[in-house]
Amino acid sequence: MSILGNILGKIFPSFKTTEPASSSEPAAPDSASGGVPVTPTTMTTVDVQALLDGMAAQNSQPLNWKTSIVDLMKLLGLDSSLAERKSLATELGYKQDMADSAAMNIWLHRQVMNKLAANGGKVPADLRD
């Protein structure tokens, strides 16, 4: 599963991605999911802020998921390494210099919030475009 698919799967329990069949042909990307093919499922609206705030309150580390892609990934129990974030950036179509990790991280956080909103998440307006 893609990194974005893993993120969406942690937020939306009914989320599924379409993995390519055993053939060498990749699945066609879905533009609404940022290149992650999506299997249509019945998704209910999820209050992303309430969900993540609740998870953060139960976490032993102080994680600022509202501004940090690293903290968001840690909160969701995902690998937040630079290599993983570069892979996510590639998956989402980042075109800038990945050596500028601060700019990339800001862009990634905004894109993930946009994707959460596009897939049925209630995301505060100040966290998305």
Side-chain angles (χ1 to χ4, degrees), residues 4 33-35 85-96 98 104 107-108 111 115:
L4 180 62
S33 64
R85 287 179 278 125
K86 284 182 176 183
S87 293
L88 178 59
T90 299
E91 181 181 329
L92 294 177
Y94 188 65
K95 303 289 186 215
Q96 304 305 313
M98 288 189 197
M104 180 183 74
W107 184 88
L108 279 174
Q111 293 306 305
K115 300 304 179 193

Side-chain angles (χ1 to χ4, degrees), residues 10-11 46-59 63 65-66 72 75-76 109 113 116 123 127:
K10 297 284 185 170
I11 303 293
V46 172
D47 186 337
V48 173
Q49 181 170 356
L51 176 73
L52 295 176
D53 281 346
M55 291 173 72
Q58 295 178 0
N59 197 294
L63 297 173
W65 69 267
K66 291 180 184 175
L72 174 63
L75 184 61
L76 296 174
H109 188 272
M113 291 296 122
L116 290 172
V123 178
L127 299 181

Side-chain angles (χ1 to χ4, degrees), residues 7-29:
I7 292 169
L8 293 172
K10 297 284 185 170
I11 303 293
F12 306 106
S14 63
F15 179 82
K16 295 179 185 172
T17 60
T18 305
E19 295 297 327
S22 56
S23 75
S24 60
E25 292 293 316

Side-chain angles (χ1 to χ4, degrees), residues 65-83:
W65 69 267
K66 291 180 184 175
T67 60
S68 171
I69 189 67
V70 172
D71 284 0
L72 174 63
M73 293 174 82
K74 284 181 180 180
L75 184 61
L76 296 174
L78 300 171
D79 179 0
S80 63
S81 68
L82 179 58

